[in-house]
Amino acid sequence: MNKKVIVITGASSGIGEVTAKLLAHQGNELVLGARRESRLQKIVQDIDDTGGSAIYQVTDVAVASQVQNLAAMALKFYGRIDVWINNAGLMPRSEFIKGRVDEWDKMIDVNLKGTLYGINASLKTMRNQYSGQIINISSVAGHATSIGSGVYSATKFGVRAISEALRKEEAAAKSNIRITVISPGAIATELTDHIKDPETKKNLDKFYNDYAVSPDRVAKAIAFTIDSPEDTTMNEIVIRPTAQK
């Protein structure tokens, strides 16, 4: 893999953390964004200790100016942005009747608007470079919905819709920018910790305990699509445990 400058949001745990460490091990330069500074510091130190290169910026993807600051840091320290991974996400699932409107708002702000802010922060730079790749993390819930996942699924369907429209725009512009959507199934991360509705959490915890696989499975898929030839894009990858229905 040729060395690239790669920005990852939601990089303080789970898929973001594992992907950052894998891509740094492969020789890339990482710019990590998340809200938990202590976690970011530890991950950057781990990468540095193994000979990699990484920096971080405390970032709440629901705040457009903070996402812009993350992009500015990448340009300041590394001079370019080759890959931007919109990974930050929340999944506080519950049935509509329970009226958890504040949780709906948070999912829309992080999962949907956060993805848009990441695109906005990186796209012009990539256009100027005449190269780049934007990787958006959706979900299998962005392909099919279920009881309790209505708002979460709506945000993840939205991520796919945004990605496809962006893909067509960049193809028409002949910008040489690749757009990829990764849709994971049950992955062993902190995602279920966001669920505050007791009944939903109990059911989802059991499901994840029965089926979830390591986030390194997703990290390897991300590394694979980054490493594919620049004239070819893996537009969408759905990755789930073999036993997950």
Side-chain angles (χ1 to χ4, degrees), residues 36-169:
R36 294 178 289 181
E37 185 168 19
S38 61
R39 289 289 305 151
L40 290 171
Q41 289 174 335
K42 177 65 166 57
I43 294 164
V44 167
Q45 187 62 57
D46 289 345
I47 289 172
D48 288 345
D49 289 346
T50 55
S53 176
I55 57 176
Y56 77 86
Q57 173 81 33
V58 175
T59 307
D60 181 346
V61 299
V63 181
S65 61
Q66 292 190 26
V67 182
Q68 289 287 351
N69 289 341
L70 183 63
M73 171 173 270
L75 295 174
K76 177 181 178 181
F77 281 86
Y78 295 125
R80 59 187 295 113
I81 299 172
D82 296 301
V83 181
W84 186 287
I85 304 176
N86 284 308
N87 169 69
L90 298 175
M91 191 182 71
R93 293 173 47 160
S94 64
E95 296 174 33
F96 288 111
I97 192 63
K98 296 180 179 177
R100 293 178 174 269
V101 177
D102 60 332
E103 294 181 354
W104 305 348
D105 289 341
K106 289 177 182 177
M107 279 190 280
I108 291 167
D109 286 346
V110 173
N111 299 355
L112 203 54
K113 292 168 68 175
T115 296
L116 289 168
Y117 293 159
I119 292 168
N120 184 56
S122 59
L123 189 58
K124 288 182 181 178
T125 294
M126 292 181 182
R127 282 270 189 118
N128 291 335
Q129 294 169 174
Y130 187 63
S131 69
Q133 183 174 15
I134 294 173
I135 299 176
N136 295 325
I137 305 300
S138 179
S139 169
V140 296
H143 294 255
T145 193
S146 60
I147 294 173
S149 75
V151 179
Y152 180 68
S153 288
T155 64
K156 293 303 186 177
F157 270 90
V159 168
R160 292 179 59 228
I162 289 165
S163 302
E164 178 62 3
L166 180 60
R167 182 193 70 78
K168 290 184 175 181
E169 289 179 12

